[in-house]
Amino acid sequence: MKSTFAKYSALSFVALLLATSCTDDFEDINTNPSTYSQANFNPNYLLTTSQLGYTGSTDFAYDTWRANLIYSSTLVQGLSTVVGYWAGDKYLLNEDYTAAYWGGTTVGAYVEQVKPITDLVESTRGKDKYKNLHQVGRIMRALIMERITDLYGDVPYTEAGMGYYKGIITPKYDKQQDIYNDLLKEVEEATLALDPGADVPSGDVFYKGNIAQWQRLGNTLLLRMAMRLTKVDPEKAKAYASKVQNKTMQSNDDNAYVVHDVGGARVTQNRNSQVLLGDGGQEFYYVKWSKTFIDQLQSTNDPRLSKVAVTQLYLADDNKTPNSAPVSTASVQKGMPNGKDLSGRPAYDVSADPTFTKFTDYSSPSLGMIKRDGPTFVLTYAESELLLAEAAQRWGLGSAAEHYNAGVTAAITYLSQYDASLTVAPADAAAFLAANPYEAGKGLEMINTQYWVHTNTMLDFYESWANWRRSGYPELTPVVYPNNATNGQIPRRFPYPTTEISSNPDNYKAASSAVTGGDNLIGRVWWDK
């Protein structure tokens, strides 16, 4: 997988430049058959481009830094920080940061993900030699659009990325309910249409074109999208959860992830690592696992604790060379409380907190998780099994305990896919489950708390935040910080980018005025009833 990524990431980056750049050679491009056009350009490169884009912007982790880490990770109390511009930790509003995932004309999800994957879907439509590539593109587009609508609510969907094909430069905002209905349709149709006897997508970073694995990913994505609807349309959620029984991911071998490469510098290196290793600031020293997260692992004697957390990783805020002997002992790990700063005010300064000893005693993500050439996890078997456990608990679709045990085991043992040093033996996972057995009376809480732990260890805080908003678990205590933007409530969505006021005014106005609770941090998306 790594070599495949190294090959296609470079090619796809060139392709992206060709697709989006202006040129002085217009006449040559239109007369020279050796130049690229949609007729002779290999759309497999667009798949690689969109998969890489899904892991974060090529422009210095632009959206990952702001949306996944500064906001999502701290809102859901996975990470904690005293860095002043990490506005999410204190429920402050930085409109540039909450707009970062949406992006603009050069960076962000619409230009770096939606545009290339829409081009792939449209350019392969009706072409037999790209039968599977077209269906994979439909699934990939749904994966991309699910995250965008989960963050913002009603968003451009049907007309998004269609400027070249339909001349639409001010796309309408589709209702989230309509988006989810279409996402379910698209993924179901595309997954059923995949043909193991047809073409093998050569630009596929996830599975190297393995169609059986794409079928299982499609069904797992279908399950995840369906479970988003448990508050607003439980019957539809149940119906789709029923359809995918025994068709979802079967083991950690089915985990979808992108293994990054150091050769392309910021373009191909792991996005989370660029931030957490301090490429742009002092995050390497001042960003820690949260107290909520570490307390959860310690209270259950979770074997993941000594793998994902270390103290004494960096010994000074002016030295980005990690300590050669960080401390991984589970008993000494300590999470940093959210909502703290370095202001000197007794109520808010971290040094005045009862847990404080010295700053280096707080736990950092272990280096094995944040390697520059390490993986970005996209969708996993553990997520699938925990969602199946919830479907079983809610509607009797199979055994909740069996799915829970499989999900937790996978969530513990998958860590070796980060790095061999993070390996947890299956026997340790079994011992954890024996000491913390599934209890049906607390089933939904246990399942979704484990889902939160797992997606936190994936560093996929977008998904941690989305599932917390849907399920309400774990029960998080909001931070108290002066002049916050939410009256002390944990934020529920990102407000629309203010750039839309001028670039797409009519559609923006209609969508902004329709947000339940207002177009702000405490407004709610449709499924967050």
Side-chain angles (χ1 to χ4, degrees), residues 294-524:
I294 295 297
D295 285 357
Q296 169 63 33
L297 298 183
Q298 283 185 328
S299 68
T300 56
N301 197 25
D302 195 308
R304 284 169 284 194
L305 180 55
S306 62
K307 302 298 183 180
V308 303
V310 292
T311 63
Q312 316 293 327
L313 181 58
Y314 293 96
L315 302 180
D317 64 4
D318 60 353
N319 184 352
K320 295 182 181 181
T321 301
N323 178 13
S324 61
V327 180
S328 61
T329 306
S331 60
V332 305
Q333 300 307 314
K334 180 167 63 174
M336 187 165 70
N338 291 91
K340 299 298 181 181
D341 60 24
L342 298 174
S343 66
R345 298 172 295 179
Y348 307 109
D349 195 294
V350 68
S351 65
D353 188 85
T355 66
F356 186 82
T357 49
K358 58 181 184 293
F359 200 82
T360 53
D361 287 341
Y362 287 128
S363 298
S364 300
S366 65
L367 288 178
M369 300 181 68
I370 53 175
K371 300 184 299 183
R372 294 185 189 277
D373 61 353
T376 295
F377 290 95
V378 173
L379 192 58
T380 64
Y381 169 60
E383 291 173 88
S384 178
E385 286 299 305
L386 289 170
L387 291 169
L388 288 170
E390 180 172 345
Q393 178 66 42
R394 286 179 178 274
W395 306 305
L397 301 177
S399 167
E402 288 180 8
H403 284 301
Y404 177 82
N405 290 343
V408 173
T409 299
I412 291 173
T413 57
Y414 96 104
L415 291 172
S416 61
Q417 293 177 338
Y418 271 120
D419 188 85
S421 65
L422 273 61
T423 300
V424 180
D428 291 334
F432 171 80
L433 285 167
N436 301 275
Y438 184 73
E439 299 178 43
K442 300 192 299 182
L444 295 182
E445 178 181 3
M446 293 183 70
I447 292 164
N448 286 290
T449 297
Q450 285 299 317
Y451 195 93
W452 171 80
V453 170
H454 175 57
T455 49
N456 285 351
T457 69
M458 290 169 62
L459 303 180
D460 184 359
F461 299 107
Y462 301 116
E463 183 60 23
S464 293
W465 186 34
N467 196 69
W468 173 81
R469 287 179 284 154
R470 176 191 72 85
S471 71
Y473 296 113
E475 295 180 357
L476 302 177
T477 302
V479 305
V480 177
Y481 198 80
N483 302 314
N484 68 78
T486 66
N487 196 29
Q489 301 177 58
I490 299 175
R492 312 292 300 195
R493 66 179 284 275
F494 289 163
Y496 293 124
T498 56
T499 54
E500 288 285 284
I501 297 173
S502 58
S503 64
N504 194 2
D506 293 339
N507 291 315
Y508 161 81
K509 183 178 180 181
S512 178
S513 63
V515 178
T516 300
D519 183 13
N520 50 50
L521 288 172
I522 56 173
R524 295 194 178 222

Side-chain angles (χ1 to χ4, degrees), residues 73-87:
S73 78
T74 57
L75 300 181
V76 80
Q77 296 179 21
L79 297 179
S80 174
T81 188
V82 292
V83 176
Y85 56 83
W86 277 52

